[in-house]
């Protein structure tokens, strides 16, 4: 398993989504905050992240000026990148 290279990930997403890298970084920052909050609430349990809730959370952030479809595309492509690089497994 390789280690996540955030710059490479942001570049990969920016190239494929045509969204500026700074905006991608912002979405990923909010995604990470959502996941950390879910993990702290889970108290050691396995965390199941609902993608619709995650997208809604990102869209509610004042500094995010994207539409729902674009946020979904960024997050979907992030998962593709993680799976391709052996950093995540796709659930059925």
């Amino acid at each position: 398993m390789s280690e996540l290279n955030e710059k490479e990930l942001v570049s990969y997403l920016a190239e494929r989504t045509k969204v500026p890298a700074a905006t991608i970084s912002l979405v990923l920052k909010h995604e990470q905050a959502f996941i950390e909050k879910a993990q702290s609430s889970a108290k050691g349990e396995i965390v199941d992240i609902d993608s619709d809730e995650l997208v809604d959370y990102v869209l509610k952030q004042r500094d995010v000026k994207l539409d729902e479809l674009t946020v979904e595309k960024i997050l979907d492509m992030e998962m593709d990148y993680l799976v391709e690089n052996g950093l995540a497994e796709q659930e059925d």
Side-chain angles (χ1 to χ4, degrees), residues 12-84:
Y12 173 95
L13 295 172
E15 180 180 316
R16 283 161 180 76
T17 63
K18 306 303 182 215
V19 174
T23 304
I24 301 250
S25 293
L26 191 60
V27 169
L28 296 178
K29 180 185 88 166
H30 290 306
E31 174 194 29
Q32 188 61 39
F34 180 86
I35 292 170
E36 288 173 1
K37 185 177 179 184
Q39 287 175 335
S40 69
S41 299
K43 299 176 184 158
E45 298 292 317
I46 293 177
V47 179
D48 186 26
I49 302 295
D50 181 285
S51 61
D52 291 333
E53 289 178 17
L54 173 56
V55 170
D56 289 345
Y57 175 84
V58 171
L59 289 171
K60 287 179 185 174
Q61 305 311 304
R62 293 179 187 195
D63 52 357
V64 175
K65 307 290 187 231
L66 299 171
D67 60 67
E68 182 175 356
L69 211 54
T70 304
V71 172
E72 286 177 356
K73 185 175 182 179
I74 291 168
L75 296 175
D76 287 346
M77 297 213 84
E78 176 195 21
M79 181 53 84
D80 291 347
Y81 174 88
L82 295 174
V83 170
E84 286 173 19

